[in-house]
Amino acid sequence: MSERRKHVQRRRFLQGVGAGIALGAVGGTAEAAAAPGHGKADLLLYNGKVLTMAGAFVPAEAIAIRNGVVLAVGSGRDLRRFTNSRTEVVDLRGRTAVPGINDAHFHPLGLGTNQPPLTLDLSRGAVRSIAEIRDLVAEAAKAKAPGEWIRGFGWDQGYLAENRYPTRQDIDAVSPDNPVALREWSGHALWVNSKALELAGITRDSQPPLGGVIVKDGNGEPTGLLLEVAANLVTGVMPDFTEEEKRHGLRLAVDIMHQHGITSVTDAGIDLGSVQRYREMLRSGEIRQRCTIMIAASSAGDLRETLLAARKLETDRSWLNVSQVKIYGDGVPTQARTAWVSQPYVGGGNGGLTLPGSSVEEQLSHLRQWVLTAHELGFQVGTHATGDLTIHAVVDAYQAAVERFGGRLRHYVIHGDLTTREDLRRMARFGFPVSFNPQIKRSLSHQLVDVIGRERTDYQWPYRTALGLGVRVGSASDAPVVGLPDSREGLTAMLTRKSLATGEVFGAGEIVGLEQALASYTTAGAWQDHAERWKGTLAPGMAADVTVFDGDLLRTAPEEIVDLPIAMTFVGGQVVYDASTDARTPTASPAAAASGLAKYWSTGCCHG
């Protein structure tokens, strides 16, 4: 066995074609995958720490891959028998290989279109004050024609020098002729200038829609801050991104995912038109990523008709699985105070639901009907629910659907910040998982004591409690919330519960171990996708989706995991990111693999 290259050769295959061919063995048994007669490995990674996440949490040394699936795992010596002169051999040099990161709650298009030049970067790493944001808006206005919109994303008042919410007056003087819309880091607040308010028809007499807030000053005038669904008053008059801008954004988002070791993603709430974009881009090879799609109930119109149409879509579900419904239940328990909570916020108020309806009763009825419709048609439901009252109502709706129709569709709570122990017990009993967001915890916890008090801040995202009660717990970035999707930061957050800003520990009793934390990004995501039989571990016969950390993950201090680089990412046995070559592995042109296209689309993947 000889090492052919120090790094994996960049495989310039058409990504959609490679996707179809690579998983030809997925769904087979481990014995069949490693049996003699199934050929030699295409790729061997050796001299590393391979954490399969199947069985004991003890690393193997090497992993052999053929046709996009794991052929065998063991020692380098034992795996020599699976190699020949055509096997590509990679020395991991002690680095750690794990199943590909499954980010189970993500907004890819949002991440991509929120990058420059389409959108101003206002994240904590880019700006430190409202004054700096004003300067960026001023520069953007100079380059825009009168009337052109200026977009921005990522500002976080907890990291701004002024330590306050911004107002329209902060940017009016530098953008008198251009409407400005600057989205806050969480997506739950929009900061606009007077021109944008004018175009949206928002005045001192305007009333917000139920579930939204038009923030007004002491004189009753709009400040330029719109919370929750009130932001739709402005976004509804903004021009949409062009189709080419959306495709550019999606390509960029997939590149970012690969750089962060993400091989599977759940797109948390799109329409059927956006599903078609995924189909076309996967088929043409513009992107190579496993995608689970959530249809947004709020934009579906007639949800039943939309889901019936979705069921007719022909897709390879190992790459594009349109199987879920996203419901947006309430706001967030941040300074916005829009999550629906039983115990009032510090300073008063209980937040509320963001569901359609003119009363709480109508909103809850809408929730129940959406869940029942989705469940009846076989669609899994994930509901954004952060406050304890919202979560309780969501679990009620899930339980009612199961009791009426039967079946276990694994409906889940998204975020679940303040899920009570009572509801966690119910979720365990009915098999309802939860998807937490450790990156947000690390970024935000120091700001919340003055919002929800110390006890709730410590408890927020109760990993250990949930796991101890038998709930399946996944972790997700919710990107572009808090910036880039980074499982390393999430691991550090789960292992330490330390604030990024202050280093203070918030909720030491909810700290979990590395195996549990890593499982939340791998096996739990696969289980949430109903895909645990073919992805999520590196056992023989499973999809060869691999993330390689540039170091020994088991020996890295919890506080330092966040700084451990991603060295390589493989999707279906093909490298999509290699830090030793450049920042990304370019996508091939369609001509590069046209010869395989007809074969792929005539055969597809054997996995149903």
Side-chain angles (χ1 to χ4, degrees):
M1 179 177 65
S2 60
E3 184 179 348
R4 297 176 62 198
R5 291 178 182 263
K6 291 184 178 179
H7 57 265
V8 174
Q9 179 182 355
R10 294 185 348 195
R11 302 180 179 186
R12 298 178 180 272
F13 296 127
L14 179 64
Q15 293 181 347
V17 176
I21 295 172
L23 282 185
V26 169
T29 65
E31 291 77 15
H38 277 253
K40 300 297 184 179
D42 304 317
L43 175 66
L44 177 69
L45 309 179
Y46 79 103
N47 190 28
K49 303 292 178 63
V50 181
L51 296 173
T52 67
M53 301 305 294
F57 194 59
V58 178
E61 182 196 355
I63 180 170
I65 294 167
R66 176 176 170 79
N67 288 342
V69 300
V70 177
L71 186 62
V73 179
S75 70
R77 180 181 297 275
D78 290 341
L79 268 54
R80 287 173 65 100
R81 63 193 175 98
F82 294 109
T83 67
N84 60 20
S85 61
R86 292 185 296 275
T87 301
E88 193 148 30
V89 179
V90 178
D91 184 352
L92 290 176
R93 303 192 305 276
R95 296 176 294 186
T96 305
V98 304
I101 300 301
N102 192 322
D103 195 316
H105 185 83
F106 201 115
H107 304 278
L109 187 61
L111 175 65
T113 55
N114 277 325
Q115 305 299 315
L118 297 178
T119 304
L120 297 177
D121 180 5
L122 308 180
S123 64
R124 62 173 184 255
V127 298
R128 298 183 179 181
S129 66
I130 293 173
E132 288 184 16
I133 295 175
R134 181 183 63 241
D135 292 343
L136 288 177
V137 171
E139 288 299 313
K142 292 177 183 177
K144 298 279 188 180
E148 283 191 273
W149 284 79
I150 297 171
R151 293 178 168 93
F153 177 81
W155 58 271
D156 182 342
Q157 67 99 9
Y159 288 86
L160 298 176
E162 294 85 353
N163 195 30
R164 63 170 172 84
Y165 271 120
T167 69
R168 59 187 170 88
Q169 287 86 356
D170 290 316
I171 52 176
D172 273 352
V174 298
S175 57
D177 302 316
N178 297 93
V180 178
L182 310 177
R183 182 74 71 172
E184 181 236 20
W185 66 271
S186 73
H188 291 261
L190 188 70
W191 167 23
V192 302
N193 67 350
S194 294
K195 189 68 174 179
L197 291 174
E198 175 189 334
L199 292 175
I202 298 175
T203 69
R204 63 178 295 121
D205 299 320
S206 298
Q207 296 299 313
L210 187 66
V213 177
I214 300 173
V215 179
K216 297 180 180 180
D217 62 22
N219 296 319
E221 296 291 339
T223 67
L225 197 65
L226 307 170
L227 306 182
E228 303 300 346
V229 294
N232 296 343
L233 300 173
V234 167
T235 58
V237 300
M238 290 174 61
D240 197 5
F241 290 107
T242 67
E243 181 59 25
E244 181 49 43
E245 288 172 336
K246 291 177 180 178
R247 287 176 179 257
H248 170 78
L250 194 54
R251 288 192 296 269
L252 182 57
V254 171
D255 286 341
I256 291 171
M257 284 186 248
H258 291 164
Q259 292 168 29
H260 287 82
I262 298 168
T263 60
S264 290
V265 65
T266 298
D267 192 323
I270 59 176
D271 57 24
L272 287 183
S274 297
V275 175
Q276 181 61 24
R277 183 181 306 113
Y278 270 109
R279 293 179 71 195
E280 293 174 358
M281 293 180 72
L282 283 164
R283 181 169 184 171
S284 69
E286 292 179 77
I287 59 174
R288 179 179 176 81
Q289 188 74 318
R290 303 192 193 281
C291 306
T292 296
I293 301 299
M294 306 185 79
I295 299 298
S298 58
S299 60
D302 186 316
L303 182 61
R304 179 177 293 275
E305 292 302 315
T306 298
L307 296 185
L308 288 172
R311 283 171 56 173
K312 296 177 182 178
L313 295 174
E314 295 183 2
T315 65
D316 179 345
R317 286 184 289 167
S318 59
W319 294 93
L320 185 61
N321 187 16
V322 186
S323 60
Q324 299 186 15
V325 171
K326 166 71 177 295
I327 296 175
Y328 183 48
D330 67 352
V332 287
T334 67
Q335 291 90 342
R337 293 173 167 81
T338 52
W340 192 30
V341 295
S342 58
Q343 178 184 343
Y345 290 99
V346 176
N350 295 83
L353 295 166
T354 55
L355 294 155
S358 58
S359 66
V360 171
E361 291 72 24
E362 286 186 13
Q363 290 176 305
L364 292 175
S365 176
H366 223 111
L367 169 66
R368 288 189 293 269
Q369 191 55 54
W370 273 345
V371 172
L372 288 171
T373 298
H375 189 107
E376 180 188 357
L377 296 178
F379 281 79
Q380 182 182 9
V381 179
T383 304
H384 170 117
T386 64
D388 62 311
L389 289 179
T390 310
I391 296 164
H392 185 79
V394 167
V395 177
D396 280 348
Y398 291 171
Q399 181 176 338
V402 170
E403 291 174 344
R404 178 170 176 178
F405 295 112
R408 284 194 171 241
L409 297 181
R410 302 178 186 175
H411 303 316
Y412 60 104
V413 174
I414 297 169
H415 309 311
D417 299 41
L418 301 173
T419 312
T420 65
R421 288 170 174 81
E422 174 191 353
D423 281 327
L424 287 171
R425 291 188 185 95
R426 269 203 303 164
M427 291 164 66
R429 185 166 71 252
F430 284 93
F432 302 146
V434 64
S435 179
F436 288 147
N437 309 108
Q439 274 186 266
I440 303 178
K441 181 69 176 177
R442 184 170 184 259
S443 173
L444 191 65
S445 55
H446 70 287
Q447 302 180 39
L448 297 186
V449 175
D450 293 336
V451 177
I452 57 176
R454 182 70 196 215
E455 182 178 354
R456 282 187 288 183
T457 300
D458 284 346
Y459 180 75
Q460 186 190 34
W461 288 302
Y463 274 91
R464 178 177 286 186
T465 298
L467 288 167
L469 291 173
V471 178
R472 292 267 189 169
V473 177
S475 292
S477 65
D478 198 16
V481 171
V482 300
L484 299 176
D486 197 335
S487 62
R488 303 167 305 160
E489 184 175 9
L491 292 172
T492 288
M494 282 183 271
L495 298 175
T496 69
R497 303 280 291 196
K498 286 185 178 179
S499 162
L500 170 66
T502 67
E504 185 178 0
V505 175
F506 288 91
E510 298 297 338
I511 290 174
V512 296
L514 178 60
E515 182 177 6
Q516 293 171 310
L518 192 58
S520 75
Y521 275 117
T522 54
T523 57
W527 190 86
Q528 180 180 297
D529 285 348
H530 292 264
E532 69 273 18
R533 291 185 298 172
W534 63 269
K535 74 172 182 177
T537 73
L538 294 179
M542 302 292 278
D545 298 344
V546 185
T547 300
V548 179
F549 290 89
D550 194 7
D552 186 342
L553 184 62
L554 295 174
R555 294 180 177 273
T556 301
E559 293 84 356
E560 297 173 2
I561 290 176
V562 65
D563 297 317
L564 194 63
I566 300 297
M568 306 176 76
T569 306
F570 299 83
V571 180
Q574 295 186 16
V575 64
V576 292
Y577 173 70
D578 184 350
S580 69
T581 56
D582 55 20
R584 61 180 291 269
T585 300
T587 300
S589 67
S595 61
L597 187 58
K599 177 180 179 182
Y600 169 57
W601 286 106
S602 64
T603 61
C605 173
C606 69
H607 167 84

